[in-house]
């Protein structure tokens, strides 16, 4: 019974999963998708949900620094509600302010090249989003 963490962007979705005890988050992959066709990631997400025995989904909720929810945040909420209906799993939202900044900082500290950073930044952001959720629910 694991938890799936998603960092939903306009072109990619970063994917992370929890361990079975729901203590730690591990990055899985980044998938490409077309946000104008919300079903474009369904097949890959269905495979991950089955493979990892996912029972909950956590999505990063982009907020403005003043805490208000803008257009990207509303899109994430709409997408989350769609996933909830599609996969019959509860979907939770976690404030994702500064997660990409934190992921970038961690990759810089690990001396990861710019080219490699761009390939894993969304996956790292998904790890931070999911770990934040797991820490709040322990």
């Amino acid at each position: 019974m694991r938890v799936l963490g998603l960092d939903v962007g306009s072109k990619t979705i970063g994917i992370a999963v929890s361990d079975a005890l729901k203590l730690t988050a591990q990055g899985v992959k980044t998938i490409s998708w077309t946000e104008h066709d919300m079903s474009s990631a369904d097949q890959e997400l269905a495979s991950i949900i089955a493979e990892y025995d996912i029972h909950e989904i956590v999505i990063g909720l982009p907020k403005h620094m003043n805490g208000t929810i803008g257009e990207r945040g509303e899109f994430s909420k709409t997408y989350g509600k769609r996933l909830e209906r599609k996969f019959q799993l509860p979907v939770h939202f976690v404030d994702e302010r500064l997660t990409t900044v934190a992921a970038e900082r961690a990759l810089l500290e690990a001396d990861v090249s710019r080219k490699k950073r761009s390939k894993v930044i969304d996956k790292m952001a998904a790890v931070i989003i999911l770990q934040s959720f797991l820490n709040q629910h322990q």
Side-chain angles (χ1 to χ4, degrees):
M1 294 184 38
R2 297 173 189 247
V3 183
L4 178 68
L6 304 177
D7 177 44
V8 180
S10 59
K11 297 178 183 173
T12 61
I13 300 175
I15 311 283
V17 297
S18 74
D19 65 325
L21 297 175
K22 299 181 184 178
L23 298 174
T24 61
Q26 298 85 34
V28 174
K29 65 192 307 185
T30 299
I31 60 175
S32 295
W33 84 308
T34 307
E35 74 175 348
H36 300 295
D37 175 10
M38 286 192 185
S39 66
S40 63
D42 286 356
Q43 190 172 356
E44 214 158 345
L45 288 174
S47 294
I48 292 166
I49 288 168
E51 178 182 349
Y52 289 96
D53 191 27
I54 299 297
H55 286 257
E56 295 177 82
I57 300 172
V58 175
I59 296 177
L61 183 62
K63 292 183 178 181
H64 297 297
M65 292 310 286
N66 67 4
T68 61
I69 296 174
E71 188 177 327
R72 288 299 315 165
E74 291 299 334
F75 178 84
S76 291
K77 288 169 65 174
T78 300
Y79 186 61
K81 289 174 186 168
R82 185 192 170 282
L83 292 181
E84 198 166 49
R85 286 189 308 273
K86 170 80 178 162
F87 296 111
Q88 297 296 298
L89 295 172
V91 173
H92 311 280
F93 296 95
V94 171
D95 183 352
E96 72 164 29
R97 282 179 284 186
L98 304 179
T99 55
T100 302
V101 172
E104 180 84 19
R105 184 175 296 129
L107 291 168
L108 281 170
E109 288 174 8
D111 203 24
V112 176
S113 72
R114 181 181 302 271
K115 185 177 181 181
K116 289 181 182 174
R117 277 197 313 265
S118 68
K119 292 180 181 179
V120 298
I121 192 80
D122 296 324
K123 179 172 62 171
M124 283 289 298
V127 168
I128 294 168
I129 290 165
L130 179 54
Q131 191 63 56
S132 173
F133 175 81
L134 296 173
N135 291 347
Q136 291 172 10
H137 293 87
Q138 287 180 357

